[in-house]
Amino acid sequence: VITLYSGSVSMFGAKAEIALREKQITFELILVPFSIEHHYEPKHPEVLRINPFKAQVPVLKNGDVEIYDSTQIFEYAESLCTGPSLWPVDVARKAHARQLELQSDEVFFPHVIQRMKSRVTSEDHALAKRSKAALLDYYAIIDTLLVQREYLAGTFSYADIAFFMAQHFSAMWGAPPPTQLSNLIHWRDRIGKRRIVADVVIRIDRFVKTASSPNSDAQA
Ligand SMILES: N[C@@H](CCC(=O)N[C@@H](CS)C(=O)NCC(=O)O)C(=O)O
């Protein structure tokens, strides 16, 4: 049996969860404890054991296979050969899709993380502004890429899953795709309508709403 350890508000965990579901892989989902006050502390023992270096979710376990990192989980999911192929078949398109997936995690999302951090310390306000400008620049690049294209790399792929979740978290932190970038907006709506994607997003949004309400246990 496959087990995925994720978090209630984990962008990277959501990527992995959506991918496994889109690949029609049966798995058990364990949401590790998370609260606004203590974040992921104390860390889940299985997360610490399987990912001792980073102690981060997502982590996946399937018998002897114990791996971490959302991109590695994409690769593992693809190698199980179930469901639709989520990398383009064409070699060049596949390479492009991988680049876009990396950019989403390592170029775009770090600016979102910067904005999450800046919320805590107001002296970082200038940094938060600079991050927003960088996010907007990247949105414009993706909007151009999506001219006459339904999905980032041609067919629905891991690149779409990654960037959909990244932009969703960016929106949560005050930097949604601007409405005038219509290719990007249509793409976002197209991906967001997928049953599997919608279910994961609804659960995250519900958690955020509950955790940030004044009466919630998460703040206690
Ligand atoms: N590169 C990793 C990043 C994973 C990551 O940043 N996980 C966050 C949650 S979204 C986490 O576990 N943070 C807790 C911590 O760093 O202490 C991936 O793609 O899975």
Side-chain angles (χ1 to χ4, degrees):
V1 56
I2 297 180
T3 308
L4 177 71
Y5 295 88
S6 182
S8 298
V9 283
S10 168
M11 195 288 292
F12 294 99
K15 281 175 62 187
E17 182 184 350
I18 291 170
L20 293 178
R21 293 200 194 285
E22 291 278 358
K23 291 296 285 179
Q24 297 158 20
I25 292 166
T26 306
F27 64 100
E28 181 193 8
L29 176 69
I30 295 183
L31 294 173
V32 304
F34 174 89
S35 71
I36 289 182
E37 206 178 34
H38 305 291
H39 291 194
Y40 289 92
E41 299 293 342
K43 300 273 169 104
H44 191 286
E46 278 300 271
V47 172
L48 283 176
R49 188 182 65 77
I50 297 172
N51 186 0
F53 312 107
K54 297 196 158 210
Q56 292 177 328
V57 286
V59 160
L60 179 144
K61 200 170 133 100
N62 186 17
D64 290 346
V65 177
E66 297 182 328
I67 58 170
Y68 56 89
D69 190 280
S70 58
T71 305
Q72 298 262 329
I73 293 171
F74 281 176
E75 296 302 335
Y76 183 68
E78 196 59 29
S79 68
L80 292 179
C81 295
T82 61
S85 176
L86 291 184
W87 286 125
V89 178
D90 178 81
V91 174
R93 278 188 185 272
K94 188 181 193 167
H96 185 220
R98 284 187 203 271
Q99 287 280 278
L100 289 167
E101 201 270 327
L102 175 134
Q103 278 175 29
S104 185
D105 281 12
E106 297 188 20
V107 177
F108 182 88
F109 202 65
H111 296 296
V112 180
I113 294 176
Q114 182 61 253
R115 288 173 59 74
M116 293 174 180
K117 286 184 184 157
S118 307
R119 203 40 189 261
V120 189
T121 50
S122 56
E123 66 267 28
D124 287 342
H125 193 65
L127 271 181
K129 268 192 178 161
R130 220 179 301 154
S131 295
K132 184 158 185 169
L135 293 168
L136 291 175
D137 285 348
Y138 192 76
Y139 282 142
I141 293 170
I142 296 299
D143 186 67
T144 306
L145 177 79
L146 285 167
V147 173
Q148 293 180 344
R149 216 185 253 207
E150 257 183 278
Y151 301 105
L152 293 176
T155 52
F156 178 68
S157 76
Y158 295 107
D160 297 292
I161 297 173
F163 191 57
F164 181 87
M165 285 319 307
Q167 67 79 35
H168 187 75
F169 275 73
S170 180
M172 278 165 50
W173 290 91
T179 47
Q180 67 270 26
L181 299 182
S182 60
N183 303 314
L184 177 57
I185 296 290
H186 287 140
W187 167 87
R188 182 198 62 190
D189 294 347
R190 196 174 301 130
I191 308 294
K193 275 196 193 112
R194 296 177 77 89
R195 190 69 262 150
I196 290 166
V197 175
D199 285 350
V200 172
V201 164
I202 287 167
R203 197 192 62 226
I204 292 172
D205 291 353
R206 197 177 295 146
F207 181 90
V208 171
K209 215 169 152 191
T210 316
S212 49
S213 85
N215 299 321
S216 84
D217 291 345
Q219 281 199 331

